[in-house]
Amino acid sequence: MPSKYGPEEAPVIALLSETENPQEIIPYIGSSPAESLAIRLEYLAEGGANVVYQIRTDPVKWSRAVLQRPLSAVKGHRDASTCERIQDEVLRLRKAPGSSKQSYVSTTAAEDYLEDVIAPSLGGHEWLIPSRKIRVHPRVISACNKELILHQALGNRPDSREHSILEESELFGLLMEDMSGIRGSSFTIQFKPKWLSHSPNASKSARRCRTCALRAMRGTEGMAPVGEVQCPRNLVGDHPDNSRLEILQTLRANGIPCAESKLRERLPDVLQDLTEYFYSGKGRTILDKLAALQEQLDPLGIVKLRAQPGGMSSQQLKDLQLAMTFRDCSVYVRYHWDKGLEGIETRVGDLDPKVGESKLDEWHDIEMGLIQGGWYDGIEELSQGQAQDTKCSLWNPPQPSKRYSERIDELMKDFNADLEVAYKSRSSDECSDG
Ligand SMILES: O=P(O)(O)O[C@@H]1[C@@H](OP(=O)(O)O)[C@H](OP(=O)(O)O)[C@H](O)[C@H](OP(=O)(O)O)[C@H]1OP(=O)(O)O
Ligand SMILES: Nc1ncnc2c1ncn2[C@@H]1O[C@H](COP(=O)(O)OP(=O)(O)OP(=O)(O)O)[C@@H](O)[C@H]1O
C-alpha cells in the first residue's frame, strides 16, 4: 500500500477539533494555526466510498505550539504523547455519494454498525482494526477536497476514482491504526476475501464460484477484473497448495515496496509462513469465520429471497446486507521480518453497511446475469478466439494436483523476475526513500 504523494507534496494541514466526548484522548488537536502546522494529512489511498490519509506530525513544532498556549488551555492529553499517538494512525474520511441512487453512509453510521453489528458477529474486536471516531473541522474537509481536485488534475489519482470528493457536510472521520508496513521491518498485504462460500443461487454442478463467475463475465465485458484474488475459495480449500497459490498471487498483486530486497532473498520462507498461517494457523480461523458468516447470513441468495411470496422480511434483508459486507471487506496481513510466522498480524477493515434499494437491484441483476449467461456452469457463449476463464478452484480438482504445483512454480519464476527488476531499479527516485 504505497503512499501516492511524497510528504513534501502534502499541502493539507489538519485542523481536527474536539471529539464528541471531551474526555477523549485527542482534545482540540490543531485548533490553533501553530498547532495545525505540526499536523499534516497525507493522502494514502482511496476506495469508492472513502479517502484514507496518513497523519504526519512534527513533534518539535507541536511542542512549540503547545508552549505558546496559555497555561490554562494546556490540559489533559494536550502534550507530546498525543502527537506521538496519532502519527501511528490513519484518518478515513467519507466521500460524497457519486449518484443520486447511492445512499450516503456517514462515519457515525459506519462506526455504529461496526460496534453494534460487526463486532458481535465476529465475537468481539480481536480481528477489527482498532479505530475511534473523531470530529473533523469543516475546513479540513474543504482543504482535502481542494487537494483531491489538484491531484486529479495532475493525474495522481486512480482513474476509477476521479471526480469523487469528500462529503462536505460530514462532521466526523475515523482514526484507525495504520496497517501499512514499515520498510525494513514489516510489509503488509491486503486482499478482499469476497465470496468464500458458494452462491446459494448457483447450481450444484457449478464450475465457477461467485467471485470467479463474475470475473469471467466482466472479463468478457472488458471491465476490471474482480479484486486481486483469483479464486478466494482456494484460501479455504482442503490442500495447502491451493492456499499457497492464492497467497503467492496476492503477494505479487500487492507489489511489495521495491526497496524491500529482503523479499527477493526470502520469498520461499515468506510464502511458506503465510501458507501455514492461512492454511492451518490463525489466518485460517478468520477466513473460516468469514466463510461461515457469509453462508449462515445468506442461505437463500437474492434471487430466491426476492421470489418469495411477500418478498424479503426485514431480518432477511439485514442478514443479506451483512453477508454482503463480509464478502466485500478487506483483510490486512502484516508480516514482521524478524518474527516470521509468530509475528503475522491480521485485521479486517472496510466493514461498512451496504444500504439502499439500488444495491439490491444490482445484486439481483448480477446473479441473474451469471445464471442465465451460463457463467456459473462454464457454458457461457464466448466470442471466437476467446479463452475460457478456468481459474476457479471448482473447475480444477480440489485434491493436490500437478496443475497447482506447476502453476506455483511458474508464478514463483514470474515473481522473482518482478523482484529482480525492482531490485535493479532501487536507486531510482521511486525507491530512494527505502
Ligand atoms: O460487485 P463487486 O463484487 O465487484 O463488489 C464491489 C467492489 O468491487 P471489487 O471488489 O473491486 O470487485 C467495489 O470495490 P471497488 O470500488 O472496485 O474498490 C465496492 O466495494 C462495491 O461496494 P460499494 O458499492 O462500495 O458498497 C462492491 O459492491 P458490492 O457487491 O459489495 O455491493
Ligand atoms: N487502517 C488502514 N491502514 C492502512 N491503509 C489503509 C487502512 N484503511 C484503509 N487503508 C487503505 O485505504 C484504501 C481505501 O480504504 P477503504 O477500503 O476503507 O475504502 P473504501 O472506499 O471503503 O473501499 P471500497 O471501494 O472497497 O468500498 C484501502 O484499500 C487501503 O489501501
Side-chain angles (χ1 to χ4, degrees), residues 46-49 102 160-161 192 194-195 210 214 218 224-228 324-325 327-328 350 352-355 359 362-363 366:
E46 63 185 293
Q102 251 179 303
S160 60
R161 309 300 185 199
K192 287 191 184 190
K194 293 304 215 181
W195 292 60
R210 166 62 157 72
L214 185 59
R218 287 185 175 167
V226 185
E228 303 291 4
M324 291 306 278
T325 292
R327 287 166 177 145
D328 194 39
D350 192 6
D352 295 339
K354 300 269 176 195
V355 292
K359 274 271 150 215
E362 194 185 303
W363 299 333
I366 290 180

Side-chain angles (χ1 to χ4, degrees), residues 41-344:
L41 294 183
E42 192 182 316
Y43 173 101
L44 174 66
E46 63 185 293
N50 297 276
V51 184
V52 174
Y53 293 90
Q54 244 158 355
I55 299 175
R56 300 289 182 209
T57 55
D58 182 330
V60 177
K61 281 187 188 155
W62 176 262
S63 317
R64 225 179 275 145
V66 169
L67 285 175
Q68 278 172 19
R69 297 216 116 225
L71 209 54
S72 59
V74 184
K75 55 183 180 182
H77 298 275
R78 226 172 135 66
D79 55 16
S81 68
T82 304
C83 192
E84 276 159 28
R85 182 167 174 196
I86 56 165
Q87 69 190 1
D88 293 332
E89 293 177 306
V90 294
L91 180 64
R92 187 179 192 241
L93 297 177
R94 298 208 67 89
K95 285 185 180 179
S99 72
S100 52
K101 273 173 134 193
Q102 251 179 303
S103 310
Y104 182 68
V105 176
S106 66
T107 294
T108 300
E111 206 222 11
D112 289 350
Y113 196 66
L114 204 61
E115 288 303 317
D116 303 341
V117 181
I118 301 288
S121 305
L122 287 173
H125 292 76
E126 185 194 355
W127 297 104
L128 302 179
I129 303 175
S131 64
R132 63 220 156 93
K133 194 170 77 167
I134 187 168
R135 191 176 278 274
V136 176
H137 197 287
R139 277 164 59 196
V140 177
I141 311 251
S142 39
C144 288
N145 276 341
K146 279 193 195 120
E147 191 208 32
L148 285 173
I149 292 164
L150 176 72
H151 282 296
Q152 182 175 311
L154 294 172
N156 284 339
R157 291 177 72 191
D159 295 348
S160 60
R161 309 300 185 199
E162 282 186 357
H163 307 299
S164 54
I165 53 166
L166 301 177
E167 172 59 47
E168 300 263 357
S169 67
E170 176 63 64
L171 298 175
F172 299 97
L174 211 59
L175 276 176
M176 299 184 291
E177 181 182 330
D178 186 353
M179 291 304 298
S180 316
I182 297 172
R183 201 165 279 180
S185 80
S186 60
F187 69 83
T188 297
I189 53 169
Q190 182 194 338
F191 62 90
K192 287 191 184 190
K194 293 304 215 181
W195 292 60
L196 294 165
S197 63
H198 202 26
S199 164
N201 295 133
S203 67
K204 294 274 170 286
S205 60
R207 302 185 80 189
R208 289 195 189 105
C209 69
R210 166 62 157 72
T211 313
C212 290
L214 185 59
R215 182 192 58 241
M217 182 167 85
R218 287 185 175 167
T220 65
E221 290 168 0
M223 291 169 74
V226 185
E228 303 291 4
V229 177
Q230 297 292 319
C231 177
R233 290 168 60 91
N234 271 329
L235 289 171
V236 285
D238 293 332
H239 193 273
D241 271 358
N242 298 32
S243 302
R244 198 185 310 276
L245 176 66
E246 204 58 27
I247 287 158
L248 185 53
Q249 288 177 137
T250 307
L251 262 170
R252 192 166 175 230
N254 268 265
I256 309 303
C258 51
E260 208 56 278
S261 56
K262 282 185 188 169
L263 191 65
R264 193 164 148 264
E265 294 147 25
R266 291 177 36 196
L267 179 59
D269 295 339
V270 171
L271 184 60
Q272 182 52 34
D273 287 347
L274 288 171
T275 303
E276 218 174 306
Y277 180 79
F278 278 110
Y279 179 66
S280 53
K282 224 178 152 207
R284 182 63 180 255
T285 312
I286 181 61
L287 293 179
D288 282 345
K289 207 181 258 264
L290 289 172
L293 283 164
Q294 293 177 4
E295 200 170 328
Q296 287 154 18
L297 290 162
D298 181 19
L300 295 178
I302 179 100
V303 175
K304 283 187 208 152
L305 281 172
R306 276 208 160 170
Q308 292 175 135
M312 269 182 245
S313 69
S314 69
Q315 189 58 47
Q316 283 175 326
L317 172 62
K318 279 187 198 153
D319 286 351
L320 172 69
Q321 289 168 327
L322 183 54
M324 291 306 278
T325 292
F326 283 128
R327 287 166 177 145
D328 194 39
C329 60
S330 293
V331 175
Y332 294 86
V333 185
R334 191 154 45 198
Y335 184 99
H336 296 266
W337 288 108
D338 57 351
K339 295 188 190 148
L341 183 60
E342 298 308 307
I344 303 174

